[in-house]
Amino acid sequence: MRLFPILMALFVTILLVSNTVAVKITHVGPFYFDGATILFPIAYIFGDVLTEVYGYKRSRVVVWTGFFACIIMSLVYCLVGILPAAADWQQQNAYTAILGQTPRIVVASLVAYLCGEFINAYILSKMKIATKGRFLWTRTIGSTMVGQGVDTVLFVAIAFTGVISSNLLLYMIVSNYVFKTAFEILATPLTYAAVGFVKKAESVDYYDVDTDFNPFKVTFKDMV
C-alpha cells in the first residue's frame, strides 16, 4: 500500500482547497457555479481510483479522514476569525468575507460531501462486482452521476435556499451538475490511466464481495 497514503493526502488536500474556494460564485458562459466546481470533480476521480483499487473499506477511511479534516479547517478559520485584529491590520473584513465560513455553509458542505462520496463509493463497488471488473467507464461515470447529483442538490439546497431566488437555485444546481458530470466523462481516459498505474504499482485489485457497506463501521484494521 505504498501509494495509498499519497493518494489519501492528495484527496484531502483537494477537498480542503475546494471548500475554501467555494465562497466565490462565478458565471462562465451558460454556467453559474461556485469556485469549488472547477476542482471538486477531481476529488471524485480520486475517490473512484481509491475505491476501484483498494475497495470500499479503504475508501471509507479516506472519506472520514476528509470529513474530519474539513471540520478542523472550519474550526481553525472560525477561531482565527474571532481573534482581535491588530490595530494597524485593516483586512479583518476581507478575512471574514473569504474565510469566515458560516455554520450553514459548513453544514451544507459536510452533509453533501459525506452523502455524495459514500453513494459514489457504494455504487462503484457494487458495479465492479456486477461487471466482474470489466467496463471501468460504466462504473466511474455511473457512480459519479449519482454521487455528484446527490452532492450538488444537497449542498446548493442547504447553503442557498432562502438566500437566492428559486429560479437561480435551480439553475445553479443544474449548472453545477452538468459541469461536474461532463468533467468526469471527459476525464475518463485520465481515470483509466490512473487506475491502471496504481493497480500495477500496488499489485492490488480489490473486490468488495463480503464487505459491510455500513459507512460508520470503520475499524483499526481498515486504517493500516
Side-chain angles (χ1 to χ4, degrees), residues 1-6 8 50 54-66 68 118 215-224:
M1 301 294 180
R2 295 170 298 171
L3 297 179
F4 181 77
I6 298 173
M8 181 167 67
L50 287 162
Y54 302 103
Y56 180 88
K57 288 189 292 185
R58 288 274 182 170
S59 183
R60 179 170 53 197
V61 171
V62 176
V63 172
W64 279 114
T65 301
F68 288 113
F118 276 124
F216 301 100
K217 191 173 183 179
V218 180
T219 64
F220 179 77
K221 185 178 179 180
D222 298 333
M223 303 179 188
V224 297

Side-chain angles (χ1 to χ4, degrees), residues 99-167:
L99 298 180
Q101 301 181 24
T102 63
R104 182 172 179 174
I105 297 295
V106 173
V107 170
S109 175
L110 292 176
V111 170
Y113 161 73
L114 273 185
C115 294
E117 284 290 347
F118 276 124
I119 289 173
N120 181 73
Y122 175 82
I123 292 176
L124 190 145
S125 296
K126 288 293 189 180
M127 288 184 68
K128 183 176 183 180
I129 297 171
T131 59
K132 295 180 172 57
R134 298 172 296 171
F135 315 121
L136 174 60
W137 65 272
T138 62
R139 51 187 181 273
T140 58
I141 295 175
S143 61
T144 297
M145 288 181 70
V146 180
Q148 286 282 17
V150 172
D151 182 289
T152 301
V153 170
L154 286 176
F155 176 76
V156 176
I158 296 173
F160 299 110
T161 296
V163 177
I164 59 179
S165 69
S166 56
N167 288 337

Side-chain angles (χ1 to χ4, degrees), residues 170-208:
L170 179 60
Y171 187 63
M172 190 172 180
I173 289 174
V174 173
S175 294
N176 273 265
Y177 181 69
V178 170
F179 186 93
K180 290 174 182 177
T181 52
F183 187 103
E184 175 75 17
I185 293 170
L186 293 174
T188 297
L190 176 61
T191 305
Y192 262 81
V195 167
F197 173 79
V198 177
K199 282 183 178 179
K200 183 177 180 180
E202 296 280 56
S203 297
V204 174
D205 188 7
Y206 194 85
Y207 285 76
D208 289 290

Side-chain angles (χ1 to χ4, degrees), residues 31-59:
F31 298 108
Y32 189 90
F33 49 81
D34 62 86
T37 302
I38 64 173
L39 187 60
F40 198 69
I42 300 176
Y44 269 76
I45 294 176
F46 271 93
D48 288 344
V49 173
L50 287 162
T51 305
E52 172 68 22
V53 178
Y54 302 103
Y56 180 88
K57 288 189 292 185
R58 288 274 182 170
S59 183

